[in-house]
Amino acid sequence: MLQIKVKIISNKRLKGNYWHCVLSAPSLARASRPGQFLNVRVSDGLKPFLRRPFSIHNVCGGRLEILYEVVGGGTRNFSCRKSGDHLDLIGPLGKGFDYRYAQNKRVILIGGGIGVAPLLFLSRAIKSMDKLILIGARTKGQILCEKEFKNFISDVKISTDDGSRGFSGRVTDLLKNLISIEPRSKKEIQLYACGPKPMLKEVCNIAKAHNLQAQVSLEEHMGCGIGACLGCVVKTKNGLRRVCKEGPVFDAQELIW
Ligand SMILES: Cc1cc2nc3c(=O)[nH]c(=O)nc-3n(C[C@H](O)[C@H](O)[C@H](O)COP(=O)(O)OP(=O)(O)OC[C@H]3O[C@@H](n4cnc5c(N)ncnc54)[C@H](O)[C@@H]3O)c2cc1C
Ligand code: FES
């Protein structure tokens, strides 16, 4: 874990409230694993006082990318940072995805909204040739990273809540449909998901119902981001666990919703 100031190479609006930031951070990039996150001081002043956590979206050479949605004051401050500015951050933090056993499996990634953020780095790291990603969005204008995922995954499926593109309905309904016609044995399938809480809860229910291996990346409000304040705990079968330290990635079978 490092606390360093890194240079912003670019920080641009992708579409709507979604932004993409590229940082020059060779030592951090080398140390980062898919599913880990960075705790970012988004402004030089005291507002907001707390750092904001963001997944590592991608690592490319000595560059590190963050994909983020502007939802409040902190992320608005972040979007005002310019190329050439320096960003104070701590990372890489947390326990990422375990993908050691995924190489020979049918891998299904499920990303809801900004939840696609950590899945790009993961999709590059998993060497399985049998990969599928389900990208869920409210409407077609909010579909994220479709082109980027196509560089690493041949099978990219889209769902929109309003039916404006792809499957009409929730991304978890699309997942259910696909699982019901999946010819492979359940042991050969591995799910990885990130997105809003209700989506992750449903992914865990689907995994339990079909006895599938699944890992989900949780997003909780965070205080310290380094395991000290207990502000981010969730209930698991092994007791309370800190999302910033024992997570953010958890096994679906472990979580109690
Ligand atoms: C491990 C982790 C990884 C994350 N990765 C990303 C990422 O890659 N891209 C991204 O855009 N966001 C990510 N988030 C969420 C991001 O940290 C919050 O959106 C951000 O902190 C909001 O700050 P703000 O000051 O703009 O909003 P605030 O003014 O603090 O809040 C605005 C709204 O966002 C909600 N919110 C705030 N923090 C969180 C949170 N941690 N989880 C869920 N909802 C929250 C609040 O309830 C409120 O409704 C991640 C969170 C965690 C814990
Ligand atoms: S945010 Fe402080 S313990 Fe997790």
Side-chain angles (χ1 to χ4, degrees):
M1 178 182 84
L2 305 164
Q3 177 176 358
I4 49 172
K5 282 198 171 183
V6 302
K7 192 168 165 187
I8 299 177
I9 295 174
S10 67
N11 189 24
K12 292 183 186 154
R13 187 197 296 268
L14 275 185
K15 56 171 96 172
N17 288 333
Y18 299 108
W19 289 68
H20 180 243
C21 180
V22 182
L23 305 165
S24 173
S27 50
L28 256 181
R30 266 194 305 279
S32 297
R33 300 288 172 264
Q36 289 188 298
F37 69 96
L38 307 167
N39 217 4
V40 180
R41 184 165 291 291
V42 285
S43 83
D44 286 333
L46 285 179
K47 262 183 103 180
F49 182 66
L50 294 173
R51 291 169 182 271
R52 295 293 190 257
F54 298 97
S55 304
I56 298 166
H57 175 51
N58 200 12
V59 166
C60 200
R63 295 177 174 200
L64 219 141
E65 298 173 30
I66 296 174
L67 178 73
Y68 64 100
E69 181 178 8
V70 174
V71 293
T75 41
R76 203 168 309 117
N77 279 342
F78 191 4
S79 70
C80 296
R81 307 304 295 267
K82 303 272 178 269
S83 55
D85 284 359
H86 282 79
L87 211 54
D88 179 325
L89 47 85
I90 301 178
L93 294 169
K95 183 178 75 63
F97 294 103
D98 184 349
Y99 51 94
R100 284 170 298 171
Y101 308 109
Q103 317 300 354
N104 302 318
K105 291 195 175 184
R106 164 96 168 135
V107 172
I108 306 179
L109 304 148
I110 308 112
I114 193 65
V116 298
L119 301 182
L120 188 69
F121 190 14
L122 177 67
S123 71
R124 290 183 52 195
I126 296 176
K127 299 292 176 240
S128 165
M129 298 305 284
D130 190 5
K131 286 183 276 191
L132 157 70
I133 181 156
L134 313 181
I135 304 177
R138 266 180 241 120
T139 182
K140 68 176 179 188
Q142 295 177 337
I143 297 163
L144 291 170
C145 304
E146 183 180 3
K147 206 173 96 217
E148 288 76 6
F149 279 114
K150 282 185 173 160
N151 291 329
F152 307 105
I153 304 182
S154 54
D155 200 357
V156 176
K157 293 195 188 325
I158 305 289
S159 75
T160 49
D161 296 353
D162 67 357
S164 50
R165 244 201 85 192
F167 175 83
S168 176
R170 296 201 189 111
V171 71
T172 44
D173 291 330
L174 174 59
L175 174 67
K176 262 189 230 161
N177 289 356
L178 292 170
I179 295 293
S180 68
I181 54 166
E182 178 58 57
R184 291 168 196 73
S185 95
K186 306 302 181 206
K187 276 190 192 139
E188 290 174 64
I189 301 171
Q190 172 72 51
L191 309 182
Y192 295 100
C194 185
K197 244 187 194 169
M199 180 202 117
L200 295 182
K201 184 177 176 187
E202 187 60 11
V203 169
C204 290
N205 287 340
I206 295 169
K208 278 180 204 159
H210 294 273
N211 209 12
L212 300 172
Q213 292 292 322
Q215 291 171 34
V216 299
S217 181
L218 300 183
E219 285 187 9
E220 279 296 322
H221 290 272
M222 285 190 181
C224 66
I226 52 168
C229 73
L230 305 184
C232 64
V233 292
V234 289
K235 272 191 193 166
T236 75
K237 286 183 183 160
N238 306 311
L240 296 176
R241 288 289 177 267
R242 297 161 297 182
V243 171
C244 68
K245 199 76 182 170
E246 286 85 29
V249 177
F250 291 90
D251 201 288
Q253 309 289 343
E254 190 189 347
L255 290 168
I256 299 173
W257 293 91

